[in-house]
Amino acid sequence: MNSRLRSTAAVFFGGALGSVLRFVVGLILPSFASLFVVNLLGAAALGWVQGRAYHPGHRLANPRAQEFWGTGFCGGFTTMSGLAAFVLLQQQAVGTFATLLYIFTQLVLGLVVHRVAIGVAARGGVDTDD
Amino acid sequence: MTNPLELWLMLVGVAVLGGLGAVLRFWVNAWSGYLPWGTLAANTVASFVVGVNLPLPGNVISTWLVVGLAGGLSTFSTFVAQTGWWLWKRGRVPALLNVLTNLGLPILAVLAGSSVSLTLLN
């Protein structure tokens, strides 16, 4: 199996797993909470996966693992389309200010948790200029 | 209340189409320039798909398309990672533009999709 096919397979199965987990979370929690949970957990998880790439011997550092867990799983677990639709519907229900606050909070927290996760996961690893 | 068979059908469909959406996103992800165009395109197209399904009654197929395909195709985590990287490497203006486009265009795409759907239904 060539490299491109292996990468595609890794992303496919990671994406499948992430999407199913997101679906399950959506069955358990109301929309406003499930979006927060999946997007913030997913941002943190992606930061962790990317941070482990700084440890070349770690099992998450190899390209297939990065593709499965990073591009596949985290990408599938989080959603921007769900956020866009939710924001549009919520704006009608709760108004513009509350909606903007929701978006802003999720975005800022997402950036923070992602950055913190990378920092923690990369600690002690190889310093690369990326 | 969803019956067990319907739930299993949804799960399988979400898995397959979610995986497919992720692969499509992976293929366009390399498209990048002043902004990460690939991620922006994936998020926008996925949001259009969601918009088309919004006016339609919820069923197994719509779950496959919205939760599976569109959910797998779009990504918040990569958007956040790219925004952070852009902020660090290229500055505030490109990072802010990335935020505005990745929030604004998907919202517009949902509106466009639902308009198309409503027009076709009428």
Side-chain angles (χ1 to χ4, degrees), chain A residues 4 8 11-12 16 19-20 22-23 39 42 46 71 74-76 78-81 85 88 103 106-107 110-111 114 129-130, chain B residues 11 15-16 18-20 22 25 27 43 47 50 67 70-72 74-77 79-81 85 88-89 99 103 107 110:
Chain A
R4 181 86 176 154
T8 301
V11 170
F12 175 82
S19 297
V20 165
R22 174 170 37 82
F23 176 59
N39 282 345
L46 182 61
T71 309
C74 293
T78 63
T79 174
M80 185 60 90
S81 58
L88 210 55
I103 298 171
Q106 197 165 135
L107 174 64
L111 285 166
H114 177 261
D129 182 33
D130 184 6
Chain B
L11 278 169
V16 172
L20 178 63
R25 175 169 37 84
W27 286 346
N43 283 341
S47 300
V50 170
V67 182
S74 72
T75 172
F76 180 85
S77 56
F79 153 68
V80 159
W85 193 90
W88 179 36
K89 286 286 185 181
V99 169
L103 289 173
I107 289 174
V110 171

Side-chain angles (χ1 to χ4, degrees), chain B residues 32-37 86 90 93-95 97:
Chain B
S32 185
Y34 184 71
L35 294 179
W37 303 116
W86 244 252
R90 301 195 184 180
V93 171
L97 268 176

Side-chain angles (χ1 to χ4, degrees), chain B residues 1-113:
Chain B
M1 173 77 75
T2 306
N3 68 58
L5 176 61
E6 205 170 86
L7 188 60
W8 276 109
L9 273 174
M10 285 183 187
L11 278 169
V12 170
V14 163
V16 172
L17 287 174
L20 178 63
V23 166
L24 291 172
R25 175 169 37 84
F26 175 59
W27 286 346
V28 299
N29 197 47
W31 181 27
S32 185
Y34 184 71
L35 294 179
W37 303 116
T39 301
L40 181 58
N43 283 341
T44 304
V45 169
S47 300
F48 182 80
V49 170
V50 170
V52 167
N53 278 275
L54 263 183
L56 304 176
N59 54 31
V60 172
I61 304 292
S62 66
T63 301
W64 288 354
L65 292 174
V66 172
V67 182
L69 182 66
L73 178 59
S74 72
T75 172
F76 180 85
S77 56
T78 302
F79 153 68
V80 159
Q82 288 171 336
T83 300
W85 193 90
W86 244 252
L87 186 64
W88 179 36
K89 286 286 185 181
R90 301 195 184 180
R92 275 174 277 189
V93 171
L96 183 60
L97 268 176
N98 194 44
V99 169
L100 292 175
T101 50
N102 269 283
L103 289 173
L105 286 180
I107 289 174
L108 289 175
V110 171
L111 274 172

